Amino acid sequence: MAAGLLMNFAAWGTNCGRMSRALRDRYGLTDQATAFFDLFAAPPGEFESQAMTVVAGGLARGAEPRLVKRAARLLQGFEKTLLGHAPRSRARVGRHAPARIYLSPAVRGVARA
């Protein structure tokens, strides 16, 4: 699950940051009103290194890399399914362009495992 969170946090954080900015810019919400989104817009300072330590420890104890990857995919699939059922605006019918997310070199290494 640490690998899944590690991979997913970049997309989640990007979406939270976008939502926060949109709510403030388009609807005039205050920083206090968007505090939830601001909180998750960037991972905590040591999150990546701590998650990598957990993943490395699991692999060192014999966790299969394919199962680590599967857990990450399952978490992302759950989120996609959950968000895929959110009501859509009639103005945005059709396919959306995939979000571009930044993955650090360490996270990309986990993604390739």
Side-chain angles (χ1 to χ4, degrees):
M1 290 312 297
L5 293 172
L6 185 62
M7 304 268 315
N8 194 49
F9 218 129
W12 171 252
T14 298
N15 289 334
C16 285
R18 283 180 177 165
M19 179 65 78
S20 179
R21 285 188 302 279
L23 290 171
R24 285 193 305 269
D25 295 348
R26 295 182 121 195
Y27 300 104
L29 271 66
T30 65
D31 289 346
Q32 183 179 0
T34 62
F36 172 84
F37 297 108
D38 295 332
L39 177 65
F40 290 104
E46 297 297 316
F47 174 76
E48 185 175 312
S49 64
Q50 290 172 347
M52 289 299 295
T53 299
V54 170
V55 172
L59 292 171
R61 286 189 303 280
E64 294 182 43
R66 69 179 183 82
L67 296 178
V68 173
K69 191 172 185 178
R70 181 183 292 171
R73 282 191 193 143
L74 287 171
L75 181 63
Q76 289 180 323
F78 171 75
E79 185 175 88
K80 183 178 178 181
T81 300
L82 179 68
L83 296 176
H85 292 313
R88 291 186 178 164
S89 166
R90 290 179 185 247
R92 294 187 172 205
V93 175
R95 294 191 174 262
H96 300 280
R100 295 177 189 211
I101 58 173
Y102 168 77
L103 295 178
S104 74
V107 175
R108 283 194 303 268
V110 170
R112 287 187 200 110

